Amino acid sequence: MFKLLGKRWNGMIIVALLQRPARFGELAKMISGITDGILTDRLRELMAAKLVERQLAEGPTTAVLYRLTPVGEDLRGAFHELHAWAGRNDIGNDCDA
């Protein structure tokens, strides 16, 4: 699991989706510096690991939302603890969790 979560961008994708489900373009804007190709690859990996799922959003136009699965949501506590640890140790003050 650390290999997956420690892979560049995966943690940032999960943190973004912990805030709310998002469309692909919204995710790309929330994660500064990620390319569309890398975002696509990482979302596929996270879906294969059953942490992220695609959901069709109803409305006048069909949209795809990415959201955490219940297994992915279970990471909320772990990410909160990592954020608290970083704060106590003055590490990564520019990160959100």
Side-chain angles (χ1 to χ4, degrees):
M1 184 53 77
F2 284 113
K3 185 175 180 181
L4 177 69
L5 294 178
K7 195 168 189 178
R8 186 167 185 196
W9 304 111
N10 284 350
M12 294 179 75
I13 292 168
I14 291 169
V15 168
L17 292 176
L18 282 169
Q19 295 174 35
R20 63 179 173 83
R23 294 179 180 190
F24 184 92
E26 292 171 327
L27 277 174
K29 288 178 184 174
M30 293 167 78
I31 305 167
S32 178
I34 195 168
T35 65
D36 288 353
I38 294 295
L39 180 55
T40 297
D41 290 345
R42 296 304 185 266
L43 285 169
R44 286 183 183 146
E45 290 174 355
L46 293 169
M47 286 188 290
K50 301 188 184 329
L51 298 176
V52 172
E53 63 187 4
R54 287 170 44 119
Q55 176 187 22
L56 291 178
E58 296 182 21
T61 59
T62 303
V64 174
L65 289 176
Y66 292 92
R67 65 182 312 120
L68 294 175
T69 64
V71 174
E73 277 289 336
D74 269 351
L75 290 169
R76 184 177 299 276
F79 275 77
H80 176 75
E81 288 300 318
L82 282 171
H83 183 73
W85 170 83
R88 285 191 306 271
N89 294 286
D90 198 31
I91 298 171
N93 289 329
D94 59 339
C95 297
D96 291 325

